[in-house]
């Protein structure tokens, strides 16, 4: 079964019942779960954690039985650094790599699909990643 890495924005939309994105994100997440194994990495976990006061509540929202915990490969960290360098050379102002660079690089290196509602940066810096996006 193919794996789908789930971006934090989709999980947060569902967990917080986002008025704009809840419907799309919940449908996309359910369809993805029917089609493949779902996964998150430590960066996604950290981004989602901001919506929760207790780790137990976070774990209930992203249970390990539904979301595989995938380590970030070192090759993905290298690719994230290269994407960040390209970003800076094209006028990007951030001084350290954004989580999206690590998430996109993770999907690119392991060859999995990425479920996100914010595809622009991924399409720009990781054009080989198969996105599930609006």
């Amino acid at each position: 079964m193919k794996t789908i890495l789930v971006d934090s924005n989709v999980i947060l939309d569902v967990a917080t019942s986002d008025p704009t994105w809840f419907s799309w994100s919940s449908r996309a997440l359910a369809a993805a779960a029917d089609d493949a194994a779902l996964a998150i990495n430590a960066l996604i976990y950290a981004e989602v954690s901001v919506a929760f006061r207790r780790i137990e509540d976070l774990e209930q929202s992203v249970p390990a039985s539904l979301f595989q915990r995938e380590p970030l490969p070192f090759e993905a960290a290298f690719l994230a650094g290269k994407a960040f360098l390209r970003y800076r050379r094209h006028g990007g102002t951030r001084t350290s790599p954004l989580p999206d660079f690590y998430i996109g690089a993770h999907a690119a290196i392991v060859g999995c699909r990425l479920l996100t509602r914010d595809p622009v940066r991924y399409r720009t810096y990781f054009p080989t990643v198969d996105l599930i996006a609006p």
Side-chain angles (χ1 to χ4, degrees):
M1 180 181 267
K2 196 84 169 157
T3 299
I4 297 174
L5 193 62
V6 182
D7 200 358
S8 55
N9 53 39
V10 172
I11 297 169
L12 286 169
D13 291 343
V14 174
T16 65
S17 298
D18 182 271
T20 303
W21 287 103
F22 175 81
S23 181
W24 183 87
S25 291
S26 60
R27 284 193 317 270
L29 190 59
D34 285 344
D35 190 43
L38 303 179
I40 59 174
N41 61 30
L43 293 162
I44 295 165
Y45 191 90
E47 287 185 317
V48 172
S49 75
V50 301
F52 298 90
R53 208 177 106 253
R54 300 174 334 120
I55 194 169
E56 294 83 3
D57 298 330
L58 172 59
E59 283 293 322
Q60 188 174 5
S61 190
V62 288
S65 61
L66 181 59
F67 293 91
Q68 298 173 8
R69 273 50 170 168
E70 298 291 331
L72 183 70
F74 277 84
E75 297 85 356
F78 180 83
L79 182 57
K82 295 304 173 196
F84 176 69
L85 182 61
R86 192 168 147 227
Y87 159 84
R88 291 285 298 182
R89 287 182 176 158
H90 286 99
T93 59
R94 300 288 176 106
T95 58
S96 62
L98 303 168
D100 288 354
F101 290 130
Y102 293 102
I103 294 165
H106 186 168
I109 290 296
V110 301
C112 67
R113 298 176 78 191
L114 176 61
L115 172 58
T116 183
R117 67 159 164 80
D118 189 19
V120 175
R121 187 171 287 129
Y122 297 117
R123 285 190 179 126
T124 300
Y125 295 100
F126 305 99
T128 62
V129 173
D130 185 12
L131 298 178
I132 303 167

